[in-house]
Amino acid sequence: MNATDPLAAEAESFGVPYVPRVGAELFDPALIAAVPVTWAREQAVLPARLPDGRAVLLMPGTAALGLVQQASLAAGVSLEPAFAPRAEILRAVDEAWFAGKARAEKPAPAGSTEDAKTAAPDSSLVTRHSSLSGAAAPAAAPGLDLLLDSAEPVARFLNDTLLEAIRRGASDVHFDPAPDGGARVRFRLSGRLYDQPGPPRGLAAQLVSRVKVLAGMDIAEHRLPQDGMTQVRAGGGRAVDIRVSTIPVADGERVVMRLLNRDDSLLPLADLGMPDDVRAGFEALLAAPNGIVVVSGPTGSGKTTTLYSALGTLDATRRNVMTIEDPVEYRLPGIAQIQVAPKIGLTFASGLRHVLRQDPDVVLVGETRDAETAEIAVRASLTGHLVFTTLHTNDAPSAVMRLVDMGVEPYLLASCLRGVLAQRLVRRACPRCARMLPFGDPSVLPSEEAVARAAGAPGVLRAVGCDRCLEGYVGRVGVFELLPCGGAVAEAVHAGRLAADDLRAAASAAGAFRPMSDDAARKLRDRVTTPAEVLAALGGL
């Protein structure tokens, strides 16, 4: 230790570590993500992890000792004080939250603005935003304080809420206006909505305006629904895209913010929970040179995640892969992604028509909503393109009837449809606290016991809840069924036998189909989920 350095001497007298230079080797992403950057810069402190494994709060002297407890609460771990030169801490704060992390990220898509140009140096949350309607978006407001009191309570509340939502892995944040001028705040966690602390009374309208500014929306328009997008960073350079929707209701404007965390959502197929035979069959469909592959299920069943995972298996360097989506939820490297903009005439149908002039090999149509889109997609598949799309149907066989109802001729569909993957999402039971209850237990509902018995489970798995889970569950997993549309199924479609039961029977007779209930039963036997979740997702077995 340098005895001539007053800070080093002070550290020695107080018996705390002294760090003369703060390098990247001390950065702990988890600790950095937990503490707001504006607060860290204002106080000249930085959570770090020493080479010996100790979690510390670097500070420029004893004046900041009172912040250790505050930072420990934010980080969720006990931090020890450590001293470092103030200039070193401030340089490291910028490097930890911005420069080093921003360079590692993918380049911004064409038309967006680099975060270094749009965000003020002390803007800790908002970095980019855009209007889905194509209008120029206003600049994000700088100087957002995420921890301390400030002159902008609405900005502080919104940033605190978003940081908490990102930390807890929420997929959506809901702001519902209340008659008293307040707002009800809810997070969607693992498919369920949970109440959160609301803003101060009377600030609901200001909160909506704040969200609109960040998302590049018209703050003067209160009579019509609007859509927008923004991008934020939680600590450590973690990028989260946010899709914003507002709609007028009786007590004001309702806001829903969909958090699109690319780090958590772009998963390999092997991590989606598909049974081995379903995954092998689906991968075979992805290798087809042409045709249509459909992923079906209700809203919120993970269809987009599955399709993006499928695109991730394709070699985009040797094949021209293009998508048309509403909205573009995740940026995929090497893939041309088009945002639908109905206000200027760019619909799925018109966009798909132009995409086909771009010499594509693979085309993803975010959703087939109408007869025109379905017809163009079918004709594209018949002319040598591989087309992926989604439909809202309850099971795989019903997707065939849905396409015919849209106007696709059965003989054309029989020629081009390669397969349909249907899916639902169920919550994973926490392995730490889940309990297997015996049949006949008085706390078990008859419907739960019936599902468990039908699945061949040894008892009824009950979600209990502990400090490591949410009401007994940790995340979600897919439940799948795959209907390959060749052979007997194609013959049935061509002959006009389109009823779901007929298609299911034809595929089952050929040994090419197992219903979604079989996958749910397997996940019950393997203690992956609970009978209560299967009942909520499928209604039974």
Side-chain angles (χ1 to χ4, degrees), residues 101-428:
K101 298 295 181 180
R103 294 193 194 103
E105 289 198 351
K106 304 169 187 174
S112 65
T113 306
E114 291 296 336
D115 51 336
K117 296 178 183 178
T118 59
D122 59 344
S123 175
S124 61
L125 187 64
V126 176
T127 61
R128 285 199 292 268
H129 62 275
S130 63
S131 171
L132 294 185
S133 62
L144 306 180
D145 194 324
L146 307 182
L147 190 61
L148 302 178
D149 290 337
S150 73
E152 301 181 57
V154 173
R156 186 180 71 252
F157 174 80
L158 178 60
N159 281 273
D160 287 346
T161 300
L162 290 178
L163 283 170
E164 179 66 10
I166 294 168
R167 185 187 70 79
R168 297 179 63 183
S171 62
D172 300 85
V173 177
H174 290 230
F175 296 118
D176 302 323
D180 62 359
R184 181 186 187 189
V185 180
R186 292 183 292 175
F187 292 170
R188 186 174 293 278
L189 301 165
S190 297
R192 304 295 194 275
L193 286 170
Y194 295 89
D195 285 327
Q196 306 298 319
R201 184 173 299 179
L203 294 183
Q206 297 178 46
L207 180 62
V208 173
S209 295
R210 177 65 177 166
V211 172
K212 287 182 175 180
V213 168
L214 300 183
M217 299 156 69
D218 184 355
I219 64 171
E221 179 57 74
H222 305 288
R223 302 165 300 170
L224 296 174
Q226 294 189 67
D227 296 303
M229 286 198 78
T230 187
Q231 185 186 90
V232 303
R233 293 186 195 283
R238 186 182 185 187
V240 178
D241 294 318
I242 300 182
R243 189 175 78 204
V244 181
S245 172
T246 66
I247 191 168
V249 294
D251 296 314
E253 286 184 273
R254 190 174 189 274
V255 178
V256 175
M257 308 179 76
R258 169 66 58 89
L259 308 183
L260 307 170
N261 191 334
R262 63 187 68 178
D263 296 330
D264 294 340
S265 299
L266 300 182
L267 303 173
L269 282 176
D271 292 347
L272 299 182
M274 292 184 188
D276 291 341
D277 57 337
V278 171
R279 180 157 60 93
F282 189 57
E283 288 174 343
L285 298 180
L286 303 182
N290 53 57
I292 293 181
V293 177
V294 175
V295 177
S296 71
T299 299
S301 60
K303 300 186 297 298
T304 299
T305 297
T306 297
L307 278 179
Y308 277 25
S309 298
L311 290 183
T313 68
L314 303 178
D315 183 4
T317 62
R318 298 293 182 182
R319 305 172 81 181
N320 183 14
V321 183
M322 302 186 70
T323 76
I324 180 163
E325 307 170 60
D326 184 20
V328 174
E329 296 194 354
Y330 305 101
R331 308 301 196 269
L332 301 173
I335 294 177
Q337 296 173 267
I338 300 168
Q339 167 70 56
V340 167
K343 291 182 180 179
I344 59 174
L346 182 56
T347 62
F348 276 114
S350 64
L352 180 55
R353 191 176 291 111
H354 289 286
V355 163
L356 296 178
R357 298 170 188 162
Q358 292 281 315
D359 185 32
D361 298 299
V362 179
V363 178
L364 184 150
V365 182
E367 183 181 344
T368 299
R369 297 175 177 173
D370 52 47
E372 187 180 9
T373 305
E375 179 185 357
I376 299 172
V378 166
R379 298 200 179 279
S381 69
L382 291 172
T383 54
H385 303 88
L386 182 60
V387 179
F388 299 115
T389 191
T390 68
L391 288 174
H392 290 95
T393 61
N394 289 327
D395 54 27
S398 298
V400 179
M401 178 63 79
R402 176 81 172 120
L403 288 169
V404 173
D405 288 343
M406 285 183 178
V408 179
E409 294 291 344
Y411 74 92
L412 290 177
L413 195 57
S415 301
C416 69
L417 187 60
R418 298 289 174 259
V420 181
L421 179 76
Q423 64 183 76
R424 296 285 194 282
L425 290 177
V426 295
R427 291 184 292 177
R428 289 181 180 270

Side-chain angles (χ1 to χ4, degrees), residues 61-129:
T62 56
L65 285 173
L67 301 175
V68 173
Q69 183 178 7
Q70 192 174 13
S72 297
L73 289 173
V77 298
S78 178
L79 300 176
E80 301 177 16
F83 291 172
R86 183 184 184 86
E88 277 293 306
I89 294 175
L90 293 177
R91 178 195 57 77
V93 167
D94 287 342
E95 181 180 348
W97 264 281
F98 294 106
K101 298 295 181 180
R103 294 193 194 103
E105 289 198 351
K106 304 169 187 174
S112 65
T113 306
E114 291 296 336
D115 51 336
K117 296 178 183 178
T118 59
D122 59 344
S123 175
S124 61
L125 187 64
V126 176
T127 61
R128 285 199 292 268
H129 62 275

